[in-house]
Amino acid sequence: MKNLTSENTNPELDENDDELYEHHRFVADKGQQPLRVDKFLMNYIEKATRNKIQTAAKEGNIHVNEVPVKQNYKVKPGDVVQVLFEHPPYEFLLTPEDIPLDIVHEDDALLVVNKPAGMVVHPGHGNYSGTLINALVYHFDNLPQNSSERPGLVHRIDKDTSGLLVIAKTERAMTHLSKQFFKKSSEREYVAIVWGNVEEDEGTIEGNIGRHPKNRLQNTVYLGDDEDKGKPAVTHFKVIERLGYVTLVSCKLETGRTHQIRVHMKHIGHTLFNDERYGGDKILKGTTFTKYKQFVENCFKVLPRQALHAKTLGFKHPVSGEWMSFDTPIPEDMEQCIEKWRSYAKNQKEFID
């Protein structure tokens, strides 16, 4: 049985090769209530269907504690659930694709790219092409592998988040840059539009982040007795501009947890604007007037994604030791949305005055 997180695989498979390749592995939380394994996997695997999961179980591809189980097996605390197939995960069969890259900086050791919204960083379930890595392996040879076997990747941002990423071109750069991100010595600043009027001019959000117990596609903040269910996360925020029912904020990451800004801002009552996964694609603040509803819908159309942009990135160069800092403009879709809210807030103030 092979786990592709630890080895490379030849995509040209022998038809007689009966080894199974691990596509997914999940460990049930200690508080897990008995739950059918097909329902359990539906909570974990994005874009999975009940029918496909049940078919996998019938074909012996779902294992619990290394033993094949049927779809009605009840998952218990501590169970290790694996989904295995006879072919390696598509994310490990990287196909070079001639996708243009917006390269902000490049030298012998690294490059900094400005990723557009809508581009997935690395291949994964349901997204096996059109990713940043597909583009990188087309444009660059022999990129170093990170600990997850992903070439060049030092860190990542979400599909619908735009902005800056640093890519390592050498093993030395990969090691050096990865340590900076791990030790929190790199600098990352994001710009976001959030629902509501953020009253404090600036502040710090601290709260361990882990998987949501009911919606496994979301993360949530765990505090108090439950904090061991998550990993420490710290976000510093500062108000840039108040725009009535939304606020433009700057967020600086001290840690780099999955969906960190999205989860932390929701935790303090300010969900990101048009963040579908976390409920920001509904009207969370404002009036009940039809004209207002239409205005917000128009804003959603202008910015059809969560309002988040990785604006600045700073780190020490892995060879020269020089501090490097990069900045990229807020993309047009976010700018248009900000301008709409700016005009709306101005008109409301004039009306009230």
Side-chain angles (χ1 to χ4, degrees):
M1 198 176 297
K2 296 186 179 181
N3 183 331
L4 291 200
T5 61
S6 60
E7 68 175 55
N8 293 320
T9 307
N10 188 339
E12 296 179 4
L13 300 177
D14 188 334
E15 291 181 358
N16 298 317
D17 185 359
D18 59 359
E19 288 189 279
L20 295 177
Y21 296 83
E22 182 179 277
H23 284 231
H24 300 283
R25 173 192 290 257
F26 307 106
V27 179
D29 296 335
K30 60 184 179 182
Q32 175 69 49
Q33 297 296 315
L35 182 67
R36 284 173 56 117
V37 70
D38 52 356
K39 291 184 178 179
F40 177 85
L41 289 171
M42 282 289 290
N43 290 336
Y44 275 89
I45 304 175
E46 189 174 4
K47 298 182 181 178
T49 65
R50 188 88 173 270
N51 183 57
K52 286 183 179 179
I53 290 173
Q54 290 179 343
T55 299
K58 290 175 184 176
E59 294 176 352
N61 297 127
I62 294 178
H63 291 204
V64 176
N65 304 325
E66 300 190 351
V67 177
V69 298
K70 295 182 179 179
Q71 65 261 30
N72 61 356
Y73 172 88
K74 296 289 181 68
V75 177
K76 302 180 293 296
D79 277 351
V80 178
V81 182
Q82 296 170 284
V83 181
L84 306 145
F85 293 105
E86 293 181 356
H87 60 86
Y90 294 115
E91 63 191 275
F92 290 92
L93 306 179
L94 291 175
T95 304
E97 296 179 37
D98 187 5
I99 302 169
L101 291 171
D102 181 2
I103 298 175
V104 176
H105 168 84
E106 182 181 359
D107 58 43
D108 291 341
L110 58 87
L111 64 144
V112 176
V113 298
N114 183 21
K115 185 190 82 69
M119 174 183 273
V120 177
V121 171
H122 58 75
H125 184 74
N127 294 290
Y128 301 116
S129 64
T131 75
L132 177 63
I133 285 188
N134 291 115
L136 288 172
V137 296
Y138 177 89
H139 293 286
F140 301 95
D141 295 327
N142 303 316
L143 290 174
Q145 305 269 341
N146 67 10
S147 60
S148 299
E149 305 291 325
R150 287 166 178 153
L153 211 60
V154 177
H155 61 123
R156 61 178 293 276
I157 57 179
D158 297 327
K159 172 186 175 182
D160 289 325
T161 298
S162 54
L164 296 172
L165 287 163
V166 60
I167 306 298
K169 293 173 69 176
T170 67
E171 293 287 353
R172 178 180 177 181
M174 175 66 75
T175 300
H176 197 286
L177 290 167
S178 296
K179 283 183 179 178
Q180 289 186 59
F181 278 81
F182 179 75
K183 293 180 178 179
K184 308 169 189 173
S185 60
S186 61
E187 288 188 1
R188 287 167 289 170
E189 180 186 8
Y190 292 70
V191 173
I193 306 169
V194 301
W195 278 108
N197 177 32
V198 180
E199 294 182 0
E200 305 89 351
D201 287 341
E202 56 186 273
T204 297
I205 309 165
E206 296 185 63
N208 288 16
I209 291 178
R211 289 281 188 182
H212 195 289
K214 294 182 179 178
N215 185 341
R216 308 304 293 190
L217 301 182
Q218 289 186 7
N219 283 346
T220 191
V221 172
Y222 287 100
L223 300 171
D225 294 339
D226 291 329
E227 67 180 10
D228 62 340
K229 294 179 181 178
K231 294 181 179 179
V234 181
T235 304
H236 306 285
F237 70 87
K238 190 172 185 178
V239 171
I240 298 173
E241 187 175 359
R242 294 184 174 88
L243 300 167
Y245 297 124
V246 300
T247 306
L248 183 65
V249 296
S250 160
C251 294
K252 287 191 175 182
L253 296 184
E254 197 171 300
T255 53
R257 307 303 175 202
T258 301
H259 299 174
Q260 180 171 319
I261 292 172
R262 300 164 71 183
V263 174
H264 267 173
M265 293 309 295
K266 180 175 183 176
H267 178 66
I268 65 169
H270 296 289
T271 304
L272 263 64
F273 186 77
N274 208 11
D275 187 346
E276 180 181 5
R277 182 163 295 191
Y278 289 92
D281 59 338
K282 302 175 182 63
I283 295 177
L284 300 182
K285 298 289 180 180
T287 74
T288 57
F289 299 139
T290 302
K291 283 187 176 180
Y292 176 72
K293 290 180 180 178
Q294 185 60 55
F295 165 76
V296 174
E297 287 297 326
N298 287 338
C299 289
F300 286 158
K301 289 178 182 177
V302 166
L303 182 66
R305 62 175 179 107
Q306 70 255 13
L308 187 61
H309 176 63
K311 192 174 191 304
T312 66
L313 178 64
F315 52 84
K316 279 188 177 180
H317 193 279
V319 178
S320 69
E322 175 190 357
W323 180 258
M324 307 188 76
S325 185
F326 301 94
D327 183 272
T328 185
I330 296 172
E332 186 177 352
D333 57 355
M334 271 188 73
E335 280 287 11
Q336 288 182 14
C337 186
I338 292 166
E339 198 52 52
K340 279 182 172 293
W341 277 106
R342 191 174 283 141
S343 298
Y344 182 87
K346 181 182 178 182
N347 291 335
Q348 287 297 103
K349 186 177 185 299
E350 289 177 351
F351 177 77
I352 294 171
D353 292 344

